[in-house]
Amino acid sequence: MTATAIHASRILTPEEEISDGVIVVEGGRIAALGHRDEIRIPTGAVDHVATGLTVVPGFVDVHIHGAGGHDFMEATPRALDRITATVARHGTTSLVATTVSADIDETCRSLAGIAQYIRAHEKEANGAEGAAEGVPADRGLAAEILGVHLEGPFISRVRRGAHPSDALATPTLEAFHKLAAAADGLVKILTIAPEIPGALEVIAAAVEARIVVGIGHTDATYEETRAAIQAGARHAVHFYNAMRPFNHRDPGVVGAILTDPEVTAEVIADLIHVSGPAIQVLIGSKGFDTVLLASDGIAATGMPDGNYRLGNFEVNVKDGVARNAEGKLAGSTLTLDRALRNVVALGVPLVDALRMVTVLPARRLGVAGKKGILAVGADADLVALTPDLRVAGVMTRGAGLA
Ligand SMILES: [Zn+2]
């Protein structure tokens, strides 16, 4: 198997900074990395020189609905190929395919399509590793789908945002198990409003199934949120958006999340969904270790303004801002490279901002060591950044970065 040796002016793993570094990639994984004096490059390795660039891990998106004109709810191989290829060009190398509230049977059909796609890719990757000649099927540059994020239907009618009201459902174990089974055990995140009757029982079942429970689209009080955390919820979905707002005598869900160090909060850092100072308040309260940047990107991501679909409804995109027919924000056209630049522009140190799109989401999803980090044995998912944090090259599991 041919190895690739990537020579970079700087590597941010991001837990460590290496100047004049080399990363050796073999079979889709990182075989070695370190300062150029420490690394023995295998004979016959193809050199890739990234002079003047910083190589960082590929970004991990915990909340994304689509890109490149397609929505995950379409769930056809063509749609999923298109989405994963589009975001990869912006540095996202793995993601969790996010649904939007729809009829349960219809959602199940989408989940089955996504699960089938993931399983087919797993098989292919395993087959390639086992092959004698070891030539992995070159799928080109594409983000890996790690699983599914169920955003709805167990959300608050009052804080539904753009989710259609007729698609919302009461949380029941029966509905939850039906969705989880349709996804073939690949649900990674469940967004739920903890104040709805039945929610705590579903939260406990999801935690039992090792699903990350995200508090979101919720009108929960401080006490109701505490009860959800007690039941095992450990994540907050697009923090501030579609949540009961903070009040100093009624801190609500926002107050409960800001004050709990165990709970991670994803934020849409497009500076449209949330203002810069509000992001600073979030980071100021929670520190650098529990804030994740998520895109909430929809089909319009990487596409011109116009009309797109999000699940079952139409969204109009003007100046890159996506709204439904009622004029409510309906996802974003944000990519994680832009989110990273926005947060750095707010004064967050680069390494800390990078961790918010790499190590921290990988840890929350239980794939630390494999994704979101440059380390021996990790998947060769990496991004070369220019000094102004533009994406100059991307590699997904050893493919790309030509
Ligand atoms: Zn949402």
Side-chain angles (χ1 to χ4, degrees), residues 63 151 163 217 238 296:
H63 189 157
E151 190 181 12
H163 291 244
H217 284 278
H238 49 51
D296 201 8

Side-chain angles (χ1 to χ4, degrees), residues 10 64 111 116 152 160 164-165 231 284 339 364 367 372:
R10 177 167 70 153
I64 172 169
L111 294 173
Q116 230 171 54
R160 66 186 169 84
S165 57
R364 181 42 88 216
V367 290

